[in-house]
Amino acid sequence: MEPSGVSNEKRPTVDLIKDKNGTDQILLQNPKGASVKISLHGGQVISWKTDKGDELLFTSAKANSKPPHPVRGGIPICFPQFGTRGSLEQHGFARNKMWLVEENPPALPSFDSTNKAYIDLVLKPSDEDTTRIWPHCFEFHLRVSLALDGNLTLISRVRNINSKPFSFSIAYHTYFSISDISEVRVEGLETLDYLDNLFEKERFTEQGDTLTFESEIDRVYLNSRDVVAVFDHEKKRTFLIKKEGLPDVVVWNPWDKKAKALTDLGDEEYKHMLCVDGAAIEKPINLKPGEEWTGKLNLSLVLST
């Protein structure tokens, strides 16, 4: 029985669960039934579902979810390096480390918690492996939140607690679940310069009005506007990617030949995924001792009739 005067409306919930390998995960649910699942392995969002239970993120059926393997899908965080642009392992170490739930995170005054399910995670250089390959003292605070309207937001704060400056790159390597790669277009990248990783990072300028897909693509679009849209004609839905502090956008699909060479991706699965990342890659972020950087990614879904 609800006490008189107390609303029996559903509230946002945050639950600690485990996957089949025993890895801790966080399940966020909003009052309408939408959900987000985050693995403490990598601080990686691995599921984002609508209130009707539709999965919006792609994860490969062949993905290896057993640590320390990075999971092929969801939203792995590439930090402090993207790709092979540096001396570290591909995409850096953050996606392979165990993150901790942060009980008393630094205040985030601009955050409105009304009707939001959210969790704070933190990554610190806690082992010798990390400090040996990247000898910097840092704190990476990550807040993942699910709003009443189903929007997913990731807020990253990286603080330099070292006595010397350091720089880093970052990308939210978002695998969107799509009907078919031939049915999808991306808007918001028109006339931008991009670095083409299929041509030794050579710089080109985007000529088309919208971006459509007929072959492998691996590009970093530079200094993009703050909103990029992914239209899926067959599913009659649009992903809106809004970002702050993340000037670049990565667009990646391996296509058929590359897909067959990836052991954790099915031969035909490339047709049902597209990576569009909010990122800071071309110009690494420089932090002096005591400085903090904040980046924000907001993902929303718009259904068309």
Side-chain angles (χ1 to χ4, degrees):
M1 291 284 292
E2 288 280 348
S4 59
V6 175
S7 168
N8 62 358
E9 287 183 6
K10 285 188 176 181
R11 290 183 170 84
T13 60
V14 180
D15 294 298
L16 180 65
I17 59 176
K18 289 184 183 291
D19 70 4
K20 62 184 180 183
N21 297 310
T23 303
D24 286 337
Q25 297 181 340
I26 305 296
L27 178 64
L28 308 179
Q29 290 181 289
N30 75 4
K32 294 182 178 179
S35 67
V36 167
K37 201 181 289 181
I38 309 112
S39 175
L40 293 193
H41 174 229
Q44 180 169 342
V45 174
I46 52 174
S47 174
W48 173 34
K49 290 183 178 179
T50 68
D51 53 9
K52 294 182 172 58
D54 295 328
E55 179 59 69
L56 303 177
L57 298 176
F58 168 87
T59 299
S60 171
K62 296 177 72 175
N64 187 343
S65 59
K66 198 167 187 179
H69 300 280
V71 175
R72 174 76 64 188
I75 312 178
I77 296 173
C78 305
F79 170 90
Q81 174 182 300
F82 180 78
T84 55
R85 297 162 184 268
S87 59
L88 302 178
E89 62 191 285
Q90 180 166 339
H91 293 327
F93 52 74
R95 65 187 185 141
N96 291 330
K97 296 296 180 185
M98 293 303 297
W99 293 54
L100 300 174
V101 174
E102 192 165 30
E103 302 293 346
N104 296 297
L108 196 57
S110 62
F111 184 78
D112 179 4
S113 63
T114 307
N115 282 321
K116 287 177 181 170
Y118 66 94
I119 191 73
D120 288 284
L121 304 181
V122 64
L123 178 68
K124 299 178 183 180
S126 57
D127 57 56
E128 288 183 10
D129 280 350
T130 303
T131 52
R132 189 181 73 251
I133 61 174
W134 206 63
H136 303 294
C137 290
F138 68 92
E139 292 177 348
F140 189 140
H141 303 274
L142 174 67
R143 177 169 292 181
V144 182
S145 71
L146 176 66
L148 187 63
D149 56 11
N151 288 8
L152 168 61
T153 302
L154 292 87
I155 303 172
S156 292
R157 291 177 287 169
V158 177
R159 175 173 282 275
N160 183 352
I161 56 173
N162 210 341
S163 59
K164 58 182 180 180
F166 64 73
S167 62
F168 65 91
S169 300
I170 187 169
Y172 297 99
H173 200 34
T174 309
Y175 286 75
F176 289 105
S177 176
I178 57 174
S179 59
D180 191 285
I181 190 67
S182 63
E183 294 287 332
V184 167
R185 76 180 198 271
V186 177
E187 291 190 0
L189 304 175
E190 303 81 25
T191 72
L192 292 183
D193 284 0
Y194 64 87
L195 306 178
D196 197 325
N197 291 323
L198 302 181
F199 291 91
E200 313 239 317
K201 303 182 178 68
E202 191 175 339
R203 193 177 185 120
F204 297 91
T205 301
E206 181 57 55
Q207 303 296 336
D209 291 337
T210 61
L211 189 61
T212 54
F213 304 94
E214 298 173 345
S215 60
E216 181 183 358
I217 186 168
D218 188 355
R219 298 174 181 173
V220 180
Y221 286 84
L222 308 175
N223 296 312
S224 80
R225 62 196 67 172
D226 291 334
V227 181
V228 177
V230 179
F231 295 87
D232 189 330
H233 303 285
E234 191 172 312
K235 287 194 174 180
K236 294 183 177 176
R237 68 188 190 189
T238 301
F239 294 107
L240 290 181
I241 304 157
K242 300 176 184 176
K243 54 198 183 65
E244 298 173 19
L246 301 160
D248 304 327
V249 171
V250 176
V251 180
W252 180 70
N253 184 287
W255 221 253
D256 53 352
K257 287 184 181 177
K258 184 72 66 67
K260 287 174 180 170
L262 295 170
T263 57
D264 59 351
L265 187 69
D267 290 356
E268 300 292 315
E269 284 188 322
Y270 75 91
K271 296 177 181 177
H272 306 297
M273 56 147 283
L274 178 64
C275 285
V276 183
D277 313 359
I281 296 171
E282 188 204 18
K283 296 175 181 172
I285 294 150
N286 298 300
L287 287 184
K288 295 174 184 172
E291 282 188 333
E292 183 175 274
W293 167 86
T294 300
K296 182 177 178 180
L297 182 77
N298 176 271
L299 304 179
S300 58
L301 182 71
V302 179
L303 299 175
S304 52
T305 53

